[in-house]
Amino acid sequence: MDPVRNPYAPGAGQRPPELAGRDRELQQFEIVLERVARGRPERSMVITGLRGVGKTVLLNTFKSMAMQRLWGTGKIEARPDQSIRRPVAAALHLAIRELAPRHRAPERIEE
């Protein structure tokens, strides 16, 4: 493969020109979003893989998909020496602030 045209260019969280081989996960997440929107229960998704296979890129794509439907998203990195309260609170705050401009009454977001 020509190294200039090769779409594989690893970089932490950088989206490649094509999200190849992730159609199943993208479709599964669409189903999760739709079921949750309808108040239906849904199983969690667990994304695993070696370093550099595109887990962060996939999660960022999920975030974009959720935000298109006006769902808030948060990113939390669990650490054994830290309580989960602060990271959850910070993630919720950020999610609300990201959605504020799209909200039908954005002035109420601060409340």
Side-chain angles (χ1 to χ4, degrees):
M1 167 61 78
D2 177 4
V4 173
R5 294 186 349 208
N6 186 348
Y8 178 71
Q14 294 180 358
R15 186 176 171 90
E18 181 179 339
L19 202 55
R22 296 296 193 168
D23 292 339
R24 190 181 95 236
E25 289 88 351
L26 294 170
Q27 184 179 24
Q28 184 180 358
F29 192 67
E30 276 289 343
I31 292 168
V32 167
L33 289 173
E34 189 60 35
R35 286 182 58 87
V36 171
R38 294 177 184 204
R40 306 287 302 166
E42 186 54 46
R43 292 183 178 160
S44 299
M45 291 179 64
V46 177
I47 307 300
T48 63
L50 297 173
R51 183 175 184 209
V53 298
K55 298 178 300 291
T56 300
V57 171
L58 186 59
L59 291 173
N60 289 338
T61 302
F62 289 169
K63 176 180 179 165
S64 295
M65 292 167 66
M67 288 186 70
Q68 286 174 356
R69 293 174 177 241
L70 299 180
W71 284 84
T73 65
K75 181 177 180 179
I76 300 170
E77 195 168 314
R79 296 200 170 122
D81 60 331
Q82 182 182 28
S83 167
I84 193 87
R85 292 174 112 183
R86 282 187 192 230
V88 167
L92 284 171
H93 181 77
L94 183 59
I96 291 168
R97 304 255 330 169
E98 286 177 342
L99 288 175
R102 295 176 164 182
H103 194 274
R104 65 180 174 263
E107 66 281 353
R108 292 186 56 207
I109 295 299
E110 285 300 321
E111 295 173 19

